[in-house]
């Protein structure tokens, strides 16, 4: 399990709203409602949560979910300490105790027993049962459960059940419009907006491709990586190869096609 705890900084992490998502988050947080974020990889879901945690003044626990993530990883377990055993809270338990925000990134990747734990926290009970200690924690005001997933990667074996999905408010995320994405990439990378614009055009062309072996189009995150390399003095062709072409595919034919598209965009 990969877990990070973030104390709200003095300055808000940069996030460029594309609609009323900030207002919806604030309203959900105020009313103790869980929130589900849906959208492709690298479109800004995690940054949005970081931004809103800071905006609401709440500590944030982020858990990167994976195939082996179990309910015990979230709740906690007994560990051997100094010849004895000691209970150690998991990130979800700490968030409930502290009235913090717990963000489960790509929640569908976790084991099925995780959703059983989440259900009492996502209805009017707002409780977390710790079977190993016999505690039943009541989530205080300020606690919020946020989860995300990428609908494009779902399959029969890894799908968020309607019984779970309908316990959350939900926001659909997508890649920003060209003007917004240009501003975001320029801000994050330090590259002049005029030099960012060809990157955004390239991204639009890649995302519009059909019939190629690409699971997804290029993410805003990868565009920021490419712009950062270019701003640091790397040649455009090399930066795009390292930050866009190679991360998107291992297929030789697709790499050639993407490099041709790069050459055309900058031609």
């Amino acid at each position: 399990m990969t877990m990070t705890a973030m104390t709200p900084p003095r300055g808000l992490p940069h996030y460029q709203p594309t609609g009323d998502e900030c207002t919806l988050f604030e309203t959900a947080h105020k009313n103790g409602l869980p929130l589900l974020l849906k959208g492709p990889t690298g479109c800004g879901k995690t940054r949005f949560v970081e931004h809103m945690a800071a905006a609401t003044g709440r500590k944030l626990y982020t858990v990167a979910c994976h195939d082996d993530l179990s309910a015990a990883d979230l709740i906690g377990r007994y560990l051997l300490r100094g010849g004895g055993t000691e209970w150690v809270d998991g990130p979800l338990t700490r968030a409930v105790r502290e009235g913090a925000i717990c963000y489960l990134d790509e929640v569908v990747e976790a084991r099925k027993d995780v959703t059983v734990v989440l259900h009492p926290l996502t209805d009017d009970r707002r409780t977390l049962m710790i079977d190993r200690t016999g505690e039943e924690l009541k989530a205080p005001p300020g606690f919020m459960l946020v989860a995300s997933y990428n609908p494009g990667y779902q399959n029969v074996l890894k799908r968020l059940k309607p019984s779970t999905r309908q316990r959350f408010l939900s926001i659909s995320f997508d890649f920003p419009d060209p003007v917004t994405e240009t501003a975001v990439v320029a801000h994050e990378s330090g590259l002049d907006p005029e030099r960012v614009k060809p990157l955004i055009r390239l991204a639009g062309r890649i995302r519009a491709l059909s019939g190629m072996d690409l699971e997804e189009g290029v993410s805003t995150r990868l565009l920021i990586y490419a712009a950062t390399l270019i701003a640091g003095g790397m040649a455009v062709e090399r930066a795009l190869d390292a930050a866009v072409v190679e991360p998107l595919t291992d297929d030789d034919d697709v790499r050639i096609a993407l490099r041709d598209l790069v050459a055309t965009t900058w031609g």
Side-chain angles (χ1 to χ4, degrees):
M1 174 183 65
T2 301
M3 184 275 290
T4 57
M6 185 183 78
T7 301
R10 292 182 180 178
L12 296 182
H14 178 70
Y15 175 76
Q16 183 66 46
T18 59
D20 65 350
E21 66 268 30
C22 294
T23 300
L24 182 55
F25 188 105
E26 290 173 350
T27 304
H29 178 260
K30 181 179 179 180
N31 290 279
L33 302 175
L35 185 62
L36 182 65
L37 312 179
K38 304 186 295 182
T41 301
C43 69
K45 299 188 296 295
T46 298
R47 175 58 65 88
F48 170 67
V49 178
E50 292 172 349
H51 174 86
M52 294 309 302
T56 55
R58 292 293 168 182
K59 190 172 184 178
L60 173 64
Y61 288 93
T62 298
V63 181
C65 299
H66 54 80
D67 290 345
D68 294 325
L69 184 78
S70 67
D73 293 319
L74 292 179
I75 295 174
R77 52 171 51 90
Y78 283 104
L79 298 178
L80 291 173
R81 296 268 178 91
T85 58
E86 177 183 346
W87 174 261
V88 177
D89 283 340
L92 179 60
T93 303
R94 290 200 290 276
V96 172
R97 291 192 195 277
E98 298 170 13
I101 296 172
C102 185
Y103 174 46
L104 305 181
D105 188 18
E106 295 297 340
V107 66
V108 294
E109 298 295 330
R111 284 166 42 174
K112 292 182 179 180
D113 63 334
V114 166
T115 58
V116 175
V117 171
L118 299 182
H119 280 188
L121 280 170
T122 53
D123 57 29
D124 57 358
R125 289 172 289 179
R126 281 175 56 85
T127 57
L128 176 65
M129 185 66 195
I130 307 177
D131 292 333
R132 300 294 297 275
T133 66
E135 288 183 272
E136 184 175 349
L137 301 181
K138 178 72 174 178
F143 168 78
M144 183 177 182
L145 181 64
V146 184
S148 72
Y149 76 105
N150 181 352
Y153 283 165
Q154 286 194 100
N155 57 45
V156 174
L157 298 177
K158 290 185 178 180
R159 179 174 296 170
L160 203 59
K161 292 182 178 180
S163 59
T164 299
R165 194 168 58 243
Q166 292 184 28
R167 291 173 176 270
F168 290 81
L169 296 175
S170 185
I171 303 175
S172 289
F173 280 72
D174 205 343
F175 301 117
D177 64 82
V179 173
T180 301
E181 193 163 34
T182 297
V184 169
V185 174
H187 180 277
E188 294 292 324
S189 67
L191 188 64
D192 184 88
E194 288 303 314
R195 299 186 68 192
V196 171
K197 287 180 180 179
L199 282 175
I200 305 306
R201 287 199 298 271
L202 175 66
R205 292 172 181 176
I206 292 175
R207 291 166 186 165
L209 290 175
S210 60
M212 293 184 66
D213 188 22
L214 291 176
E215 291 182 334
E216 277 194 344
V218 60
S219 68
T220 303
R221 181 188 297 123
L222 287 179
L223 296 179
I224 293 170
Y225 291 169
T228 300
L229 294 178
I230 295 169
M234 184 174 290
V236 170
E237 183 178 347
R238 182 69 187 102
L240 292 175
D241 209 55
V244 176
V245 175
E246 292 291 346
L248 284 181
T249 183
D250 294 323
D251 185 283
D252 288 337
D253 292 336
V254 177
R255 280 200 294 255
I256 291 171
L258 289 175
R259 286 170 183 144
D260 288 343
L261 192 58
V262 168
T264 300
T265 303
W266 265 265

